[in-house]
Amino acid sequence: MIYTVTLNPSMDFFVDLEELVIGELNRMSNDYKVPGGKGINISRVLRQLGMPSVATGFIGGYTGQFIEDWLEREDIQRGFIHVDDDSRINVKLLKQEETVINAKGPNVSVMEYQEFLYYMSRVEEGDTVIMSGSLPPTITEEVYDRVISICNANKARFIMDVYPQEMVKLLDKGPMLIVADHEMIEKMLGVEIKNPSDLHKYAKIILDQGVDYLISPVEGRGSILFTKDKAYHGLRITGEYVNSEGVREAMIAGFIATYIRLSDPVEAYRVAIACGAATAFTRDMAKRPEIEEMIEKVEINKIDSSTDIF
C-alpha cells in the first residue's frame, strides 16, 4: 500500500481576478475550491492511474470535512487523525501571475501527534510512505525522523518532498526519490549551479548520500532523471501552462505508480513527465485521459554531463 502523508492539508480557494487593486474593492470573475496539500495531490493522481493509496495526516473542522468528502467522492481511502482546530484555507489569486496566501494550519496536541505515529506503525514491508508539504505550527521536524524510523524498521520505502533545509538532513536516510530543481539543490548543498556539468556533479553527491532517484526540473527545458549511473533528459512538452500548483506531486505520483508495477525507472519517468505536464495544462490535478494524451508526447534522451540542456 502507498501512504501519502499530508500533515497540514488545506481547502484551496482559487480566485480569478481581472485586476488586483490594493486598497480597493475587487470582484471575482470566477472561483473554485479543491482539497489542498502535496500528499493529497499525490493520492488524487495515483487514483487516476489506478493505484490505491491511503491519505493520512491531520484534519479538523468543516474544512477538514470538505477534504474528506472530496476524497470520498474520488474513492480515495483516508486515515486522517482528527484535531480540534479547523484545517487551513489557502487563497490562490489568479491573474497574470499567481499570488498565494497560505494559512498556518491547526494546532496539533501531543495526544493527536502520538495517535498519528501509532497509525503509521501499521506500514509493512513493501509499502511506500510519501511525506510532503508543510508542518502544522505545533509539529517539529522530528516527525520526519520518527516516520522514517518506522519505515526502516518495517522495511517500507519512503519518499520525501519537503523544504530544502529539511531535505538535506534526510538524504542519508535512504529516500527512494526526491524531486529538486536547481534552486532547491543549491539550497540543500550550499552551492551554485552554472552549467550542466555542475548539475551532474551535485546530483551525484545527492545520490551517493543514499537517494535512489533524483528528478531535477530545468526551467523551460523539461527535466532530468538521475539514477546511480545514468542520466535521462525528458524534453519539455509544449502547451498552454495554466497551473504551477501540483506539478511536482503529479510527477511523484506518476513515477511511484509506474515503478511499483514495472521496476523500470525510465518508464516511471515517462509517466511522471506525462502526469506533470497534464497537471500544468489544467486548473486541477490531471485526470487519466489527460495523462494518457500526454504520454504519447513524451520524449526522453540519454545524456551525460557534456550535454547542454540549459
Side-chain angles (χ1 to χ4, degrees), residues 192-239:
E192 184 178 0
I193 297 174
K194 299 179 179 179
N195 51 56
S197 179
D198 286 345
L199 180 57
H200 282 254
K201 177 173 67 176
Y202 296 127
K204 186 177 188 305
I205 290 174
I206 289 173
L207 293 170
D208 285 347
Q209 290 191 56
V211 179
D212 291 331
Y213 302 106
L214 166 64
I215 296 177
S216 184
V218 181
E219 186 175 358
R221 302 298 299 271
S223 60
I224 304 174
L225 168 68
F226 293 97
T227 71
K228 295 295 185 183
D229 56 355
K230 296 181 178 65
Y232 302 88
H233 177 209
L235 277 64
R236 183 178 187 267
I237 298 177
T238 58

Side-chain angles (χ1 to χ4, degrees), residues 66-122:
F66 169 87
I67 294 167
E68 286 240 59
D69 290 346
W70 190 294
L71 297 184
E72 182 177 10
R73 288 195 298 272
E74 294 193 352
D75 195 26
I76 295 170
Q77 296 182 57
R78 284 93 55 214
F80 290 106
I81 307 304
H82 290 261
V83 300
D84 290 336
D85 289 353
D86 290 353
S87 296
R88 60 185 178 152
I89 300 174
N90 295 336
V91 180
K92 321 281 187 176
L93 303 178
L94 306 177
K95 42 194 293 291
Q96 291 86 356
E97 296 181 353
E98 295 179 20
T99 299
V100 179
I101 305 172
N102 283 349
K104 65 177 184 177
N107 291 318
V108 176
S109 71
V110 173
M111 289 186 61
E112 291 159 349
Y113 177 50
Q114 292 300 325
E115 185 180 353
F116 165 74
L117 293 176
Y118 178 74
Y119 181 83
M120 292 307 301
S121 68
R122 69 181 57 200

Side-chain angles (χ1 to χ4, degrees), residues 177-282:
L177 169 73
I178 65 170
V179 179
D181 59 17
H182 291 188
E183 183 179 356
M184 186 171 179
I185 293 173
E186 289 175 338
K187 288 179 179 178
M188 282 195 296
L189 301 183
V191 298
E192 184 178 0
I193 297 174
K194 299 179 179 179
N195 51 56
S197 179
D198 286 345
L199 180 57
H200 282 254
K201 177 173 67 176
Y202 296 127
K204 186 177 188 305
I205 290 174
I206 289 173
L207 293 170
D208 285 347
Q209 290 191 56
V211 179
D212 291 331
Y213 302 106
L214 166 64
I215 296 177
S216 184
V218 181
E219 186 175 358
R221 302 298 299 271
S223 60
I224 304 174
L225 168 68
F226 293 97
T227 71
K228 295 295 185 183
D229 56 355
K230 296 181 178 65
Y232 302 88
H233 177 209
L235 277 64
R236 183 178 187 267
I237 298 177
T238 58
E240 183 181 358
Y241 284 75
V242 298
N243 177 24
S244 64
E245 294 284 328
V247 172
R248 181 197 302 268
E249 299 93 273
M251 294 187 75
I252 291 172
F255 189 94
I256 189 61
T258 310
Y259 190 87
I260 287 174
R261 288 188 175 118
L262 303 178
S263 298
D264 182 341
V266 178
E267 189 58 31
Y269 180 44
R270 182 182 306 280
V271 179
I273 294 169
C275 290
T279 296
F281 297 155
T282 184

Side-chain angles (χ1 to χ4, degrees), residues 34-48:
V34 297
K38 293 181 179 298
I40 287 172
N41 289 342
I42 291 169
S43 274
R44 294 183 65 203
V45 176
L46 287 171
R47 184 68 185 88
Q48 295 299 314

